[in-house]
């Protein structure tokens, strides 16, 4: 019996670690949660009690859970009085002290405690890895920097009721307020302004308006939202827009960075949005691919800015983006210029905005889907538009692919076949069909790999998907091996939570400029990547690499570092949160043997490799190279952080 | 007043009706104490019994000496009630007169009462006795039937009664659940909880969570929340009609189970008149033990301000000193009237000047008062069209450790309490902080020189901030003395410390709270201070006594914040039991209970005229109270997180609130109070009908970047200072 009491105490202490609290915090909504009896057993073993009966475990777990909840509740009190939102380990210690229990030592408040997961012997455990520390290491390490002392700093939060715009104050209109202003325009917004009129309006607003127009109180006007720009803001706006569409790439990167991060752009948002929509309108007519790309990058930067409430301006932005996806012609020479990259990029933007802005009231996603499907189904649609529609749909996710694209594969395959194998109609059509084909293969393969059972039979595929069947089949097979490899990797690594890192998605997508591919498993057949070559008429030639990246891969466990050189690796702009993506499929022959863990990606200056090619080839005119470079940089702009990333 | 007060038991037994109200007159709402005390004026029989019980207890514990003493004292029949009832019997004016006679020359009258208050306050009922009430009960599976039967009934009654009767759900639910748990019907209890917990009002969520974790009889021991629920009767206000309906229903159905619970554990405050609406009920409910009884808020509160001592602007020390000496207030009055401009007539609602013995004004205090008046002439008149400027003092590099802040009244010093047990004082004026020289050096000073006060300061120690070490736990409360010579800090280590701002050392550690002390506040007249903590007791101290003068007990959970009334005669405390209580410093009685908050209260502020109280809680709402009438008069909604600070502007036009949601909000206090006065006052019934006009009253919202606002302060010129720790 004494044992049990002792156990109880040690259990409470034993289970009072961070996870337990996370566990309880998370489950707070549910009323009765208790620790699993397995935990009791594990803890009993850890204090030397081998055989614990099931009933004792149950009784103990209930008691321990109750006590822990009690302590958690007390700890919350300390948190509140500490004027914090975060519960710390100190709060728990204090709560234990209240109960006259010795606090836990050694659980100093750490912002982040990485827990590890292990399973074995039919048990699953989460544990906090405590490494043995060599004392000499501690002695020899230099002392940490002394933290800065507390200090006081004063600033004006408000001057006679008006909040000054100084760096110490938050941006004038937080997102919520922007939202409130745009969605509930009838509310009284400004304090002290038109106080009487609005109150009158309010009190009378309760009774429904009886049609007396002359009564001023009855008319509720939407207050004009003014977007006056200060002189500084006007200058800023001018600089930014000029840099965004100017010729200096470094400046552009800076400007886009500013748009994506600056918290005070709210006032300028309507101007930016008009700038973009007008810009697209003009440049589509003029087929100025470079400018269109710049404008799309601006849209992306705006969308990346967390402080902006874009919903109000979607009516201008979405048409602009959609134009860049499906427009018949986006560049002067459709056979040479890589307008496909722009379409891909814009399609991703569209998908991102669907994800973030689509609601049940505005139905963006379904409206967009309808638009795409409609023009895709139209027989007269050009290949360029066709490509855009498919790309736009495919970016919306596997579900859309499954329901809208897969059923049409046969039809589309026949159409492609007609162009590819039929009488030569026009080169442009052929290129278009080729692109559509690779696009379809790329997006559909991974989806089919998931929904279709093994084995993959060429013939079966042909009957199911027609002309594209066989090619699809090989792609699916590749996708499967890829998935298997990844699964293997996941199995190997224990759950390690690391601090988020800037993302680098290494994916293979043929042209460095065409940031098209998101499914890295698929290695494109070089013959399909033709559009880079400046020589018209030889579409089947492999394209020269524009940028060279060296990917150094260290395989797990192997001491040797192999160096692979890839001629066409691009950095796909990813909308996802940063994470180093481990992609083992960078070369089927090279990597399938063992799973890789880390990559060092070094980007070589593009001139080094491309100079060879460009020498022999006719230099494209400036108008067509700029978009390419731009697109490259568009991708590269994300890479600096990543490319210098060390394996750790 | 036509309303008939009385619990259920009283309506059944006529004779009790007389005694019940008298018991409610006593502020100490600790029900068991109340019961013991209540009978004291009526009959001494029960006192005799209590004494016998105490004797028995002492004898059992072999405390023979105490037995002797008690027996000797109890032998005198007049003394025995005195033993327990002295503090509470002197409620209101009687007590006031008593000490008033002594002219309040010293604090002895206050001190003398300490022991008796303590005795009454700490008399906690025995756990077993309390719990045993749950013993004899009916068939556990039928509980669900009973409850749902009642639910059906209440849902079927007329709309006007439904809201009132639905108040019954929560207390009945809790008591039935506890009964099940107590009688070891674990599975039934669980089923009962799951079935009906969803029906309860959302503001009881926290309590329900505590309840849900409790599933065994053993857990009930030592669970304070439960003990509170059990020991204090849950108070409901129900109109007579609704009550009759309920009674008839229960009698028809022979539903003894529920009837028993109602009789034993609930206090139903019956009133005549229209049943209250759902909104009215919701506004007042939410506390741990129901609403305050109406009788509890009937005592007279002298909320007026004390007369300002007369000080002429061109200072004439000798004259003033004579004037302000104790015992010469009558002389002062005629002179005052002749003075004209500054003199005010004695506020009829103000307590007598000497109701509480207050410290004499020193020369330095008078100087300060003069400064205050000079500043006041430069004060900005605030209003909806003239909002104050806000200066924000951010604590940088505080690493989440800033737990309390206070400003001196003249805004020259800021003190911060930190989680690392330190207290830091900053000077925000160019004047640096200096220590007094050491004793040896002080000997060398020419004491006759004019600038002796300058000379005693050690220039070498001048710095912008000083750190005070002494606590052994996070410092949760901090308060400057009005004369800026002292600083109080209360900490997790259970002590309140008094620091000298001359020597920057600790002078006294006041021990008494054995648990964390959440808040402390100096009286506006100095000398006294109040502290409140986890032990659910607020204590009144005088700086020169190491033991408390008063213990204010009655809260059912932690006392989270404490505040002195501007006239120093009352203390307001806010608590985790979601009630605010106002205590009379003179006799220790609870004179007001305000219910309506739905979360622990973390901020309190008295209006400068002493008539109103504002309170802020974790629920993000500010409630306004009329102290004189004991009514809720306003609700200010807008904050989205705990409100940690509230402050009225110097003239009381504007209320500023600071919250965890990183905002400072300004509210039109004048309008809030004015609206009320035009409103027809439902003082008799105590039923408030609040209009939802928060948006109209909100004058401005100012967001800081990432700094929760934990303290606010209006300077003497009505500049608003806000502070918080920047939290990147």
């Amino acid at each position: 019996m004494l044992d049990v009491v002792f156990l109880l105490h040690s259990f409470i202490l034993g289970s009072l670690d961070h996870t337990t609290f996370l566990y309880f915090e998370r489950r707070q909504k549910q009323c009765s949660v208790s620790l699993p009896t397995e935990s009791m057993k594990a803890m009993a073993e850890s204090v030397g009690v081998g055989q614990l009966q099931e009933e004792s475990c149950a009784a103990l777990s209930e008691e321990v859970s109750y006590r822990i909840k009690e302590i958690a509740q007390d700890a919350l009190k300390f948190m509140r009085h500490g004027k914090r939102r975060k519960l710390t380990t100190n709060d728990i210690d204090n709560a234990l002290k209240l109960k006259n229990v010795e606090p836990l030592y050694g659980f100093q408040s750490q912002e982040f405690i990485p827990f590890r997961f292990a399973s074995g012997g039919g048990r699953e455990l989460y544990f906090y890895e405590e490494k043995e520390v060599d004392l000499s290491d501690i002695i020899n390490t230099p002392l940490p920097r002394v933290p800065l002392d507390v200090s006081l700093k004063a600033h004006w939060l408000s001057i006679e009721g008006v909040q000054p715009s100084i760096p110490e104050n938050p941006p004038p209109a937080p997102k919520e307020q922007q939202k409130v202003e745009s969605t509930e325009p009838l509310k009284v917004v400004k304090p002290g302004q038109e106080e009487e009129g609005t109150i009158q309006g309010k009190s009378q607003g309760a009774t429904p308006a009886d049609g007396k127009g002359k009564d001023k109180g009855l008319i509720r006007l939407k207050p004009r939202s003014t977007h006056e720009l200060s002189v500084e803001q006007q200058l800023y706006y001018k600089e930014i827009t000029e840099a965004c569409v100017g010729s200096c790439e470094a400046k552009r990167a800076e400007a886009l960075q500013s748009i994506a991060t600056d918290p005070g752009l709210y006032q300028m948002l309507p101007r930016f949005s008009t700038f973009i929509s007008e810009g697209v309108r003009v440049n589509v007519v003029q087929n100025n691919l470079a400018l269109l790309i710049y404008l799309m990058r601006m849209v992306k930067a705006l969308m990346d800015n967390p402080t902006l409430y874009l919903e109000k301006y979607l009516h201008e932005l979405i048409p602009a983006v959609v134009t860049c996806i499906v427009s018949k012609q986006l560049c002067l020479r459709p056979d040479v210029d890589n307008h496909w990259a722009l379409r891909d990029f814009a399609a991703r933007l569209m998908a991102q905005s669907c994800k973030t802005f689509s609601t049940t009231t505005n139905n963006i996603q379904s409206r967009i889907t309808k638009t795409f499907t409609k023009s895709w189904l139209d027989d007269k649609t050009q290949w360029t538009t066709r490509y855009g529609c498919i790309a736009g749909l495919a970016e919306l996710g596997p579900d859309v692919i499954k329901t809208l694209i897969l059923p049409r594969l046969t039809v589309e395959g026949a159409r492609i076949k007609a162009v590819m194998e039929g009488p030569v109609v026009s080169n442009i059509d052929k290129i278009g069909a080729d692109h559509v084909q690779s696009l379809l293969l790329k997006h559909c393969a991974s989806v089919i790999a998931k929904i279709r059972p093994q084995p993959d039979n060429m013939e079966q595929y042909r009957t199911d998907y027609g002309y594209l069947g066989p090619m699809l089949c090989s792609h699916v097979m590749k996708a499967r091996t890829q998935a298997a490899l990844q699964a293997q990797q996941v199995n190997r690594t224990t759950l390690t939570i690391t601090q988020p890192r800037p993302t680098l998605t290494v994916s293979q997508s043929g042209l460095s400029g065409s940031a098209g591919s998101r499914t890295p498993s698929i290695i494109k057949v070089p013959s399909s990547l033709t559009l880079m070559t400046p020589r018209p008429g030889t579409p089947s030639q492999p394209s020269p690499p524009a940028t060279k990246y060296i990917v150094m891969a260290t395989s797990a466990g192997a001491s040797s570092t192999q160096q692979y050189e890839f001629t066409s690796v691009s950095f796909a702009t990813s909308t996802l949160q940063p994470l180093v993506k481990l992609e083992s499929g960078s070369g089927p022959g090279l990597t399938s043997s063992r799973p890789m863990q880390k990559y060092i990606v070094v980007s070589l200056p593009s001139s080094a490799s491309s100079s060879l090619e460009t020498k022999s080839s006719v230099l494209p005119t400036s108008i067509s190279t700029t978009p390419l470079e731009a697109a490259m940089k568009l991708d590269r702009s994300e890479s600096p952080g990543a490319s210098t990333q060390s394996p750790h | 007043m036509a309303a008939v007060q009385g619990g259920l038991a009283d309506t059944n037994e006529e004779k009790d009706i007389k005694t019940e109200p008298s018991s409610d007159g006593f502020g100490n709402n600790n029900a068991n104490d109340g019961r013991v005390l209540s009978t004291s004026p009526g009959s001494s029989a029960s006192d005799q019994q209590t004494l016998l019980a105490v004797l028995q207890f002492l004898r059992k514990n072999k405390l023979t000496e105490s037995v002797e003493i008690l027996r000797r004292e109890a032998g005198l029949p007049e003394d025995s009630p005195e033993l327990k009832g002295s503090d509470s019997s002197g409620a209101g004016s009687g007590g006031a007169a008593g000490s008033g006679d002594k002219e309040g020359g010293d604090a002895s009258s206050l001190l003398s009462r300490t022991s008796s208050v303590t005795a009454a306050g700490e008399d906690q009922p025995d756990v077993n006795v309390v719990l045993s009430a749950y013993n004899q009960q009916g068939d556990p599976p039928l509980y669900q039937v009973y409850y749902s039967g009642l639910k059906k009934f209440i849902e079927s009654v007329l709309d006007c009664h439904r809201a009132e009767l639905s108040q019954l759900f929560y207390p009945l639910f809790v008591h039935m659940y506890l009964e099940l748990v107590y009688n070891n019907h674990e599975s039934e209890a669980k089923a009962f909880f799951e079935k009906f917990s969803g029906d309860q009002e959302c503001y009881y969520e926290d309590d329900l969570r505590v309840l849900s974790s409790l599933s065994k009889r053993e857990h009930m021991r030592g669970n304070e929340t439960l003990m509170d629920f059990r020991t204090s009767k849950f108070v409901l206000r129900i109109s007579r009609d609704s009550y009759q309906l309920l009674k008839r229903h229960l009698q028809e159905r022979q539903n003894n189970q529920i009837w028993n619970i109602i009789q034993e554990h609930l206090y139903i405050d019956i009133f005549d008149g229209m049943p209250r609406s759902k909104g009215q009920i919701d506004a007042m409910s939410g506390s741990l033990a129901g609403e305050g009884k109406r009788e509890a808020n009937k005592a007279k509160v002298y909320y007026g301000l004390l007369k300002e001592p007369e000080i002429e602007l061109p200072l004439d020390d000798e004259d003033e000193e004579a004037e302000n000496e104790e015992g010469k207030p009558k002389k002062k009055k005629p002179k005052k009237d002749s003075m004209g401009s500054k003199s005010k007539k004695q506020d009829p609602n103000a307590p007598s000047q000497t109701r509480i013995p207050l410290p004499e004004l020193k020369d330095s205090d008078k100087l300060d008062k003069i400064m205050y008046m000079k500043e006041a002439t430069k004060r900005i008149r605030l209003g909806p069209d003239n909002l104050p400027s806000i200066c924000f003092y951010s604590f940088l590099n505080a690493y989440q450790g800033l737990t309390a802040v206070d400003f001196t009244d003249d805004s020259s010093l800021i003190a911060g309490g930190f989680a690392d047990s330190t207290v830091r004082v900053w000077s925000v004026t160019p004047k640096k902080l200096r220590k007094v020289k050491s004793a040896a050096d002080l000997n060398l000073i020419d004491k006759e020189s004019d600038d002796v006060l300058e000379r005693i300061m050690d220039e070498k120690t001048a710095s912008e901030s000083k750190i005070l070490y002494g606590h052994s736990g996070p410092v949760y409360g901090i308060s400057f003395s009005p004369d800026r010579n002292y600083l109080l800090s209360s900490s997790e280590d259970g002590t309140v410390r008094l620091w000298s701002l001359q020597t920057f050392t600790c002078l006294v550690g006041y021990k008494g709270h054995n648990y964390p002390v959440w808040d402390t506040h100096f009286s506006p007249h100095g000398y006294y201070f109040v502290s409140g903590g986890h032990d659910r007791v607020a204590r009144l101290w005088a700086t020169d006594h190491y033991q408390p003068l008063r213990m204010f007990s009655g809260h059912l959970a932690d006392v989270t914040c404490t505040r002195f009334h501007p006239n120093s005669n009352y203390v307001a405390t806010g608590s985790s039991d979601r009630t605010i209580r106002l205590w009379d410093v003179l006799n220790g009685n609870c004179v007001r209970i305000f219910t309506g908050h739905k979360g622990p209260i973390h901020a309190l502020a008295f209006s400068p005229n002493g008539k109103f109280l504002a309170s802020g809680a974790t629920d993000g709402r500010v409630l306004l109270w009329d102290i004189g009438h004991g009514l809720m008069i306003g609700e200010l909604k807008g904050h989205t997180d705990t409100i940690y600070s509230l402050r009225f502007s110097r003239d009381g036009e504007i209320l500023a609130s600071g919250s965890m949601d990183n905002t400072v909000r300004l509210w039109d206090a004048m309008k809030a109070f004015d609206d009320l006065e035009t409103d027809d006052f439902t003082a008799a019934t105590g039923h408030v009908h609040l209009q939802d006009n928060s948006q109209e009253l909100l004058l401005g919202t100012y967001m800081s970047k990432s700094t929760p606002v934990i303290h606010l302060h209006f300077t003497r010129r009505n500049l608003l200072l806000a502070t918080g720790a920047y939290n990147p």
Side-chain angles (χ1 to χ4, degrees), chain A residues 62 80 85 153 155 167 191, chain B residues 216 392 394 644 660 699:
Chain A
E62 214 164 294
R80 287 219 185 95
R85 277 203 202 86
K153 188 174 186 301
H155 72 266
Chain B
K216 287 216 165 22
F392 203 105
S394 306
Y644 279 116
M660 198 70 191
L699 297 178

PDB file of all heavy atoms in Angstrom, chain A residues 62 80 85 153 155 167 191, chain B residues 216 392 394 644 660 699:
ATOM      1  N   GLU A  62      -6.057   7.351 -13.015  1.00  0.00           N
ATOM      2  CA  GLU A  62      -7.137   8.283 -12.746  1.00  0.00           C
ATOM      3  C   GLU A  62      -6.725   9.308 -11.696  1.00  0.00           C
ATOM      4  O   GLU A  62      -6.950  10.507 -11.843  1.00  0.00           O
ATOM      5  CB  GLU A  62      -8.354   7.513 -12.254  1.00  0.00           C
ATOM      6  CG  GLU A  62      -9.645   8.135 -12.710  1.00  0.00           C
ATOM      7  CD  GLU A  62     -10.766   7.147 -12.548  1.00  0.00           C
ATOM      8  OE1 GLU A  62     -10.781   6.118 -13.245  1.00  0.00           O
ATOM      9  OE2 GLU A  62     -11.610   7.404 -11.697  1.00  0.00           O
ATOM     10  N   ARG A  80      -1.637  33.837 -15.182  1.00  0.00           N
ATOM     11  CA  ARG A  80      -2.436  35.061 -15.295  1.00  0.00           C
ATOM     12  C   ARG A  80      -1.815  36.180 -14.492  1.00  0.00           C
ATOM     13  O   ARG A  80      -1.731  37.301 -14.946  1.00  0.00           O
ATOM     14  CB  ARG A  80      -3.843  34.807 -14.773  1.00  0.00           C
ATOM     15  CG  ARG A  80      -4.647  33.984 -15.705  1.00  0.00           C
ATOM     16  CD  ARG A  80      -6.079  34.469 -15.761  1.00  0.00           C
ATOM     17  NE  ARG A  80      -6.850  33.563 -16.588  1.00  0.00           N
ATOM     18  CZ  ARG A  80      -7.548  32.554 -16.095  1.00  0.00           C
ATOM     19  NH1 ARG A  80      -7.595  32.354 -14.803  1.00  0.00           N
ATOM     20  NH2 ARG A  80      -8.213  31.761 -16.899  1.00  0.00           N
ATOM     21  N   ARG A  85       0.695  35.004 -21.570  1.00  0.00           N
ATOM     22  CA  ARG A  85      -0.247  34.133 -22.248  1.00  0.00           C
ATOM     23  C   ARG A  85       0.287  32.718 -22.308  1.00  0.00           C
ATOM     24  O   ARG A  85      -0.401  31.802 -22.682  1.00  0.00           O
ATOM     25  CB  ARG A  85      -0.477  34.620 -23.682  1.00  0.00           C
ATOM     26  CG  ARG A  85      -1.492  35.706 -23.760  1.00  0.00           C
ATOM     27  CD  ARG A  85      -2.091  35.757 -25.139  1.00  0.00           C
ATOM     28  NE  ARG A  85      -2.652  37.063 -25.368  1.00  0.00           N
ATOM     29  CZ  ARG A  85      -1.952  38.085 -25.824  1.00  0.00           C
ATOM     30  NH1 ARG A  85      -0.684  37.934 -26.109  1.00  0.00           N
ATOM     31  NH2 ARG A  85      -2.520  39.246 -26.007  1.00  0.00           N
ATOM     32  N   LYS A 153      11.599  52.427 -22.141  1.00  0.00           N
ATOM     33  CA  LYS A 153      11.624  53.303 -23.309  1.00  0.00           C
ATOM     34  C   LYS A 153      10.229  53.895 -23.460  1.00  0.00           C
ATOM     35  O   LYS A 153       9.237  53.186 -23.369  1.00  0.00           O
ATOM     36  CB  LYS A 153      11.987  52.504 -24.543  1.00  0.00           C
ATOM     37  CG  LYS A 153      12.208  53.374 -25.757  1.00  0.00           C
ATOM     38  CD  LYS A 153      12.710  52.523 -26.910  1.00  0.00           C
ATOM     39  CE  LYS A 153      13.083  53.364 -28.106  1.00  0.00           C
ATOM     40  NZ  LYS A 153      11.978  54.164 -28.624  1.00  0.00           N
ATOM     41  N   HIS A 155       7.392  56.147 -25.609  1.00  0.00           N
ATOM     42  CA  HIS A 155       7.002  56.695 -26.908  1.00  0.00           C
ATOM     43  C   HIS A 155       5.543  57.128 -26.827  1.00  0.00           C
ATOM     44  O   HIS A 155       4.830  56.764 -25.897  1.00  0.00           O
ATOM     45  CB  HIS A 155       7.213  55.673 -28.022  1.00  0.00           C
ATOM     46  CG  HIS A 155       6.230  54.550 -28.008  1.00  0.00           C
ATOM     47  ND1 HIS A 155       6.479  53.355 -27.374  1.00  0.00           N
ATOM     48  CD2 HIS A 155       4.990  54.441 -28.541  1.00  0.00           C
ATOM     49  CE1 HIS A 155       5.443  52.562 -27.515  1.00  0.00           C
ATOM     50  NE2 HIS A 155       4.526  53.186 -28.210  1.00  0.00           N
ATOM     51  N   PRO A 167       7.680  54.219 -35.769  1.00  0.00           N
ATOM     52  CA  PRO A 167       8.014  52.788 -35.786  1.00  0.00           C
ATOM     53  C   PRO A 167       7.558  52.052 -34.533  1.00  0.00           C
ATOM     54  O   PRO A 167       7.306  50.853 -34.591  1.00  0.00           O
ATOM     55  CB  PRO A 167       9.545  52.795 -35.879  1.00  0.00           C
ATOM     56  CG  PRO A 167       9.907  54.129 -36.399  1.00  0.00           C
ATOM     57  CD  PRO A 167       8.840  55.072 -36.006  1.00  0.00           C
ATOM     58  N   PRO A 191     -13.486  57.773 -33.859  1.00  0.00           N
ATOM     59  CA  PRO A 191     -13.950  58.309 -32.585  1.00  0.00           C
ATOM     60  C   PRO A 191     -14.044  59.822 -32.661  1.00  0.00           C
ATOM     61  O   PRO A 191     -13.181  60.474 -33.263  1.00  0.00           O
ATOM     62  CB  PRO A 191     -12.868  57.869 -31.613  1.00  0.00           C
ATOM     63  CG  PRO A 191     -11.656  57.673 -32.451  1.00  0.00           C
ATOM     64  CD  PRO A 191     -12.116  57.305 -33.824  1.00  0.00           C
TER      65      PRO A 191
ATOM     66  N   LYS B 216     -14.081  11.020  -7.850  1.00  0.00           N
ATOM     67  CA  LYS B 216     -13.985  10.108  -6.711  1.00  0.00           C
ATOM     68  C   LYS B 216     -14.207  10.878  -5.418  1.00  0.00           C
ATOM     69  O   LYS B 216     -13.907  12.059  -5.326  1.00  0.00           O
ATOM     70  CB  LYS B 216     -12.582   9.487  -6.672  1.00  0.00           C
ATOM     71  CG  LYS B 216     -12.343   8.471  -7.745  1.00  0.00           C
ATOM     72  CD  LYS B 216     -11.480   7.372  -7.176  1.00  0.00           C
ATOM     73  CE  LYS B 216     -11.439   6.116  -8.000  1.00  0.00           C
ATOM     74  NZ  LYS B 216     -11.784   6.231  -9.382  1.00  0.00           N
ATOM     75  N   PHE B 392       3.560  55.854 -23.778  1.00  0.00           N
ATOM     76  CA  PHE B 392       3.716  54.435 -23.460  1.00  0.00           C
ATOM     77  C   PHE B 392       5.146  54.161 -23.017  1.00  0.00           C
ATOM     78  O   PHE B 392       6.094  54.451 -23.740  1.00  0.00           O
ATOM     79  CB  PHE B 392       3.383  53.587 -24.686  1.00  0.00           C
ATOM     80  CG  PHE B 392       2.991  52.198 -24.338  1.00  0.00           C
ATOM     81  CD1 PHE B 392       1.672  51.808 -24.389  1.00  0.00           C
ATOM     82  CD2 PHE B 392       3.943  51.270 -23.937  1.00  0.00           C
ATOM     83  CE1 PHE B 392       1.300  50.517 -24.049  1.00  0.00           C
ATOM     84  CE2 PHE B 392       3.572  49.990 -23.587  1.00  0.00           C
ATOM     85  CZ  PHE B 392       2.245  49.615 -23.652  1.00  0.00           C
ATOM     86  N   SER B 394       7.576  51.346 -22.494  1.00  0.00           N
ATOM     87  CA  SER B 394       7.771  49.915 -22.739  1.00  0.00           C
ATOM     88  C   SER B 394       8.954  49.423 -21.921  1.00  0.00           C
ATOM     89  O   SER B 394       9.989  50.074 -21.875  1.00  0.00           O
ATOM     90  CB  SER B 394       8.069  49.648 -24.205  1.00  0.00           C
ATOM     91  OG  SER B 394       7.082  50.216 -25.000  1.00  0.00           O
ATOM     92  N   TYR B 644      -5.993  44.184 -17.371  1.00  0.00           N
ATOM     93  CA  TYR B 644      -5.100  44.233 -16.225  1.00  0.00           C
ATOM     94  C   TYR B 644      -5.063  45.600 -15.574  1.00  0.00           C
ATOM     95  O   TYR B 644      -4.516  45.744 -14.493  1.00  0.00           O
ATOM     96  CB  TYR B 644      -3.686  43.819 -16.622  1.00  0.00           C
ATOM     97  CG  TYR B 644      -3.509  42.329 -16.689  1.00  0.00           C
ATOM     98  CD1 TYR B 644      -3.209  41.683 -17.881  1.00  0.00           C
ATOM     99  CD2 TYR B 644      -3.660  41.551 -15.548  1.00  0.00           C
ATOM    100  CE1 TYR B 644      -3.065  40.319 -17.932  1.00  0.00           C
ATOM    101  CE2 TYR B 644      -3.523  40.181 -15.586  1.00  0.00           C
ATOM    102  CZ  TYR B 644      -3.220  39.564 -16.781  1.00  0.00           C
ATOM    103  OH  TYR B 644      -3.084  38.210 -16.826  1.00  0.00           O
ATOM    104  N   MET B 660      -4.489  42.715 -21.966  1.00  0.00           N
ATOM    105  CA  MET B 660      -3.563  41.746 -22.530  1.00  0.00           C
ATOM    106  C   MET B 660      -3.632  41.757 -24.055  1.00  0.00           C
ATOM    107  O   MET B 660      -2.723  41.284 -24.713  1.00  0.00           O
ATOM    108  CB  MET B 660      -3.986  40.370 -21.999  1.00  0.00           C
ATOM    109  CG  MET B 660      -2.955  39.308 -22.098  1.00  0.00           C
ATOM    110  SD  MET B 660      -1.644  39.616 -20.950  1.00  0.00           S
ATOM    111  CE  MET B 660      -0.470  38.413 -21.527  1.00  0.00           C
ATOM    112  N   LEU B 699     -14.314  55.660 -26.835  1.00  0.00           N
ATOM    113  CA  LEU B 699     -13.829  56.866 -27.487  1.00  0.00           C
ATOM    114  C   LEU B 699     -12.620  56.605 -28.360  1.00  0.00           C
ATOM    115  O   LEU B 699     -12.333  57.355 -29.276  1.00  0.00           O
ATOM    116  CB  LEU B 699     -13.465  57.913 -26.429  1.00  0.00           C
ATOM    117  CG  LEU B 699     -14.624  58.394 -25.560  1.00  0.00           C
ATOM    118  CD1 LEU B 699     -14.130  59.377 -24.536  1.00  0.00           C
ATOM    119  CD2 LEU B 699     -15.679  59.040 -26.431  1.00  0.00           C
TER     120      LEU B 699
END
